[in-house]
Amino acid sequence: MDIADRFEADVVIMGAGLTGLSAAMSLAEKHPGVSVIVLSKVHPLRSHSGAAQGGINAAVALEDKWEDHYYDTLKGGGFLGDQDAVQILTWNAPDAIYSLDRWGANFSRDPDGAFAQRPFGGQRRNRTCYVADKTGHALLNALYEQCVKKGVRFFDEWYVFSLITESDCLLGFLAFHNVTGRIGYFASRAGLVATGGAGRVYGQSSNALINTGDGMSLCLRAGVPLKDIEFFQIHPTGLPNGILITEGARGEGGYLVNAAGERFMKRYAPEFMELAPRDLVARSIQQEINEGRDYGDGCVRLDLRHLGEEKITSRLSQIRQIAMHFAGVDPVLDPIPVRPTVHYTMGGIDVDINCSTAVNGLFAAGEGSCVSVHGANRLGGNSLLETVVFGVRSGEVIPEFISSQPEPDRTHENTLLHDALSQFASLFGDEGTENVPDLRREMEKVMVGSFGLFRTGESMKAGLDHIRQLVDRFRFVRVPEAGLVFNSHLLHTLELRSMLDVAHACATAALTRTESRGGHYRLDFPLIDNQNFLKHSIVNMNPSGRMGLSYRDVTIVDTEPLDDIRY
Ligand SMILES: Cc1cc2nc3c(=O)[nH]c(=O)nc-3n(C[C@H](O)[C@H](O)[C@H](O)COP(=O)(O)OP(=O)(O)OC[C@H]3O[C@@H](n4cnc5c(N)ncnc54)[C@H](O)[C@@H]3O)c2cc1C
């Protein structure tokens, strides 16, 4: 196995979702002299960002204030968000919307031409801008077009399988091209990991099949910790097969009802009802199901009928199609069966407010990272916002880094590449005694069973032991020799390696957090514990593959965290 091509650029961006494209756009607009390459394991327009439906938050209305957006985000996240990072997110939000508008995103408008904004969970105002129920699709297309126009160099269908670093300095990315099977080395002064979430570690998920946490795993292996990785968001409303029904459906006025026809949210969140934060709505739905008030099919119902056909077809047309195609239900005539589905990775690659990691020259942003804006639970509409605000920000700080730092020392680059290639080659062979589908199914089951909506110490302990066994058994997986051209066996093996790393880190951090906050809800410790756990978990992987855990204080700027959070 040899490296067929060597490419060079000042900046290599791994990931072509909204984060990677926002960074590329920011670099192209403000630093045209900086050379950029964008790598993506699929065509950029197939990145999961394109599946976002409901919208993107910003205090753009005259009567709204960024300070209110800031507070709602902190409270929704159980006050685990770093307040300096949340300030950057919410203060820059209006500018992000204006930039997207300028780049050609066709936002829905009110009759007077202002941005239309719908209510989303956990927010006290209508703050979510949208493009009908296809927001991600519209934004991704607009940004991709602009990047192509600016001449950004894209390498589509290149799968990155190793980060090359020396003495905590990034040297480059090692990848293979699915289409030709060539292995390429992308040497760079700086790199941005923008690889999105890892929701596929669970069996039931709204995430694309490609959301396997590759960037998180590669960073862990390069010595960068994961932060707050025990916090996964379980979205309240998925179809029985996991496909998402956007929160926008409740934002437009949809009701959640149990089999008795009761709008049960009045018992759990009397003020916010269906628009309480997601963790609370998801637990409420699951409790209704667990206590037998479902429709006999493990689902409650989302009723949109009172909105009328006109509104459903103009504001929620994709949702209508999804419900018809995947659940056989026309929401104009019948309520949609829904149940919680895994949706979002709050934790991720540990970065500071300038997107820097522990490795010099290596930056990360977007869902794959944890700059800590979402805390323990993300508010709907804040993730698209994060991709643009921190994507653009990384495009501003990386050129500063490049101009202020010397070239990395590449004396040992060839040896490092040789070692990385040998490790890659060792995945191949005929003598494998374990197989990927079995290990994957077991991992998904453990994650759903032990690290789902309701967690307990006992079940998480058993879950962690089981994940450790799976990590061990993975050593006996081999990919039969079949070249590198669209070798799905190879892709699934690499993706499973990534997911096992994320699952292992999640289980390690979850077991030790003896409190409940946001996406981490423990039946044996049901209360928030600011005394002991107003802290970020930091998980490192040591060279033998074991995980180490430490904690870091949350950054407080001006807002006292509440001990009792109510909606
Ligand atoms: C169904 C759904 C609906 C959503 N709706 C909303 C919403 O309405 N509002 C909101 O705010 N948020 C929403 N979200 C969340 C939001 O869409 C995502 O958090 C966000 O788009 C992530 O963007 P990203 O750029 O960080 O990653 P992604 O868009 O996931 O892109 C990741 C990129 O990394 C590349 N990549 C990954 N691994 C490798 C590798 N090994 N080698 C090379 N390339 C690699 C991929 O090819 C891809 O280009 C939704 C999410 C889902 C799943």
Side-chain angles (χ1 to χ4, degrees):
M1 231 171 244
D2 289 313
I3 296 176
D5 303 292
R6 181 187 168 102
F7 304 95
E8 286 184 12
D10 294 325
V11 188
V12 169
I13 299 175
M14 176 184 175
L18 278 172
T19 309
L21 297 187
S22 301
M25 208 33 215
S26 157
L27 285 162
E29 278 197 331
K30 293 178 212 135
H31 302 276
V34 172
S35 58
V36 179
I37 283 177
V38 180
L39 298 169
S40 173
K41 69 177 175 178
V42 295
H43 186 276
L45 295 178
R46 287 188 56 225
S47 304
H48 188 60
S49 292
Q53 301 167 349
I56 171 167
N57 299 333
V60 284
L62 280 180
E63 65 282 9
D64 201 358
K65 296 205 292 275
W66 75 267
E67 290 92 337
D68 289 349
H69 185 188
Y70 166 68
Y71 187 77
D72 289 347
T73 301
L74 288 179
K75 185 177 172 193
F79 294 94
L80 193 70
D82 280 335
Q83 297 184 4
D84 51 353
V86 181
Q87 276 182 351
I88 293 170
L89 179 83
T90 50
W91 192 82
N92 285 290
D95 268 352
I97 301 294
Y98 306 142
S99 296
L100 289 165
D101 189 42
R102 182 165 58 82
W103 290 329
N106 50 338
F107 283 108
S108 297
R109 302 276 175 167
D110 285 338
D112 64 359
F115 292 109
Q117 291 187 287
R118 55 171 51 125
F120 249 43
Q123 308 204 54
R124 290 163 294 164
R125 287 186 189 281
N126 295 5
R127 190 176 285 139
T128 308
C129 303
Y130 56 91
V131 182
D133 56 355
K134 307 172 186 67
T135 312
H137 177 84
L139 304 190
L140 194 62
N141 275 274
L143 263 168
Y144 183 60
E145 277 174 20
Q146 291 294 335
C147 286
V148 170
K149 184 173 153 199
K150 291 270 178 203
V152 172
R153 275 200 293 168
F154 283 97
F155 286 72
D156 304 342
E157 313 266 5
W158 282 82
Y159 189 105
V160 178
F161 61 89
S162 188
L163 298 184
I164 306 299
T165 61
E166 192 191 4
S167 311
D168 288 336
C169 257
L170 177 76
L171 301 181
F173 296 75
L174 199 50
F176 62 88
H177 189 208
N178 264 318
V179 183
T180 58
R182 293 169 80 85
I183 295 178
Y185 177 54
F186 297 80
S188 68
R189 296 285 312 279
L192 175 71
V193 179
T195 43
R200 277 284 152 190
V201 292
Y202 290 82
Q204 252 271 347
S205 173
S206 70
N207 281 198
L209 293 170
I210 55 170
N211 287 10
T212 51
D214 299 352
M216 296 180 197
S217 157
L218 292 179
C219 281
L220 257 182
R221 287 165 183 263
V224 177
L226 299 186
K227 180 160 74 201
D228 293 341
I229 193 66
E230 65 270 43
F231 296 97
F232 273 87
Q233 176 167 81
I234 304 193
H235 193 288
T237 56
L239 291 181
N241 64 5
I243 292 182
L244 189 76
I245 298 295
T246 174
E247 184 166 313
R250 281 172 285 134
E252 293 295 343
Y255 298 150
L256 285 169
V257 288
N258 61 20
E262 177 200 16
R263 274 180 77 188
F264 54 84
M265 281 311 298
K266 65 174 186 269
R267 282 188 274 114
Y268 301 94
E271 193 187 331
F272 279 67
M273 295 292 286
E274 280 85 357
L275 289 174
R278 290 179 174 173
D279 56 330
L280 179 53
V281 182
R283 280 197 303 276
S284 310
I285 293 178
Q286 196 61 48
Q287 191 164 335
E288 292 297 299
I289 296 168
N290 292 352
E291 291 174 4
R293 290 187 290 279
D294 62 327
Y295 278 68
D297 56 359
C299 292
V300 296
R301 292 293 182 268
L302 175 64
D303 197 347
L304 305 182
R305 289 173 300 178
H306 55 286
L307 302 182
E309 184 164 359
E310 205 316 277
K311 194 166 189 183
I312 293 175
T313 40
S314 63
R315 297 282 177 82
L316 299 167
S317 65
Q318 181 174 243
I319 286 305
R320 185 178 185 195
Q321 280 168 12
I322 288 175
M324 286 179 8
H325 289 312
F326 296 101
V329 166
D330 180 353
V332 171
L333 305 173
D334 291 299
I336 311 171
V338 288
R339 63 171 177 164
T341 185
V342 171
H343 186 56
Y344 187 80
T345 318
M346 263 81 69
I349 302 159
D350 177 29
V351 289
D352 65 15
I353 51 169
N354 289 323
C355 312
S356 296
T357 70
V359 166
N360 218 14
L362 184 62
F363 296 78
E367 186 175 344
S369 73
C370 181
V371 64
S372 186
V373 286
H374 308 301
N377 169 60
R378 168 178 77 94
L379 291 186
N382 266 354
S383 170
L384 290 182
L385 177 62
E386 179 192 14
T387 65
V388 181
V389 169
F390 285 92
V392 166
R393 190 173 175 86
S394 64
E396 285 161 1
V397 296
I398 288 175
E400 277 172 37
F401 168 84
I402 293 176
S403 56
S404 66
Q405 297 284 317
E407 273 276 351
D409 178 6
R410 297 190 184 272
T411 324
H412 303 116
E413 192 171 56
N414 282 340
T415 317
L416 292 165
L417 285 171
H418 180 265
D419 292 349
L421 270 186
S422 320
Q423 217 185 15
F424 179 58
S426 70
L427 285 174
F428 292 87
D430 294 325
E431 75 285 11
T433 50
E434 292 285 355
N435 76 71
V436 170
D438 285 353
L439 294 185
R440 181 166 180 165
R441 261 192 299 273
E442 275 189 49
M443 173 195 68
E444 292 173 351
K445 223 167 124 191
V446 177
M447 291 305 288
V448 171
S450 296
F451 304 97
L453 268 178
F454 298 103
R455 303 172 172 184
T456 64
E458 201 183 336
S459 126
M460 287 193 288
K461 170 84 183 57
L464 175 59
D465 288 346
H466 199 149
I467 296 283
R468 283 186 178 141
Q469 286 165 21
L470 295 176
V471 169
D472 228 35
R473 285 165 57 194
F474 181 80
R475 292 186 296 127
F476 302 102
V477 169
R478 289 290 175 279
V479 181
E481 291 286 356
L484 302 182
V485 177
F486 286 112
N487 183 343
S488 51
H489 202 133
L490 171 63
L491 290 172
H492 294 164
T493 304
L494 289 168
E495 290 181 337
L496 178 64
R497 183 181 75 175
S498 301
M499 289 187 286
L500 282 172
D501 283 349
V502 175
H504 193 179
C506 168
T508 305
L511 180 60
T512 312
R513 188 177 281 276
T514 47
E515 65 154 357
S516 287
R517 194 187 292 268
H520 176 72
Y521 187 82
R522 289 185 64 146
L523 291 168
D524 47 356
F525 291 93
L527 299 180
I528 206 164
D529 178 0
N530 283 336
Q531 199 75 37
N532 296 302
F533 284 105
L534 194 64
K535 286 184 179 135
H536 300 296
S537 67
I538 306 289
V539 179
N540 274 290
M541 185 192 250
N542 70 26
S544 68
R546 286 198 79 82
M547 299 288 174
L549 176 65
S550 57
Y551 289 95
R552 187 190 300 149
D553 286 342
V554 167
T555 305
I556 305 287
V557 177
D558 55 9
T559 305
E560 196 51 39
L562 300 175
D563 290 321
D564 183 15
I565 300 174
R566 287 175 194 272
Y567 283 92

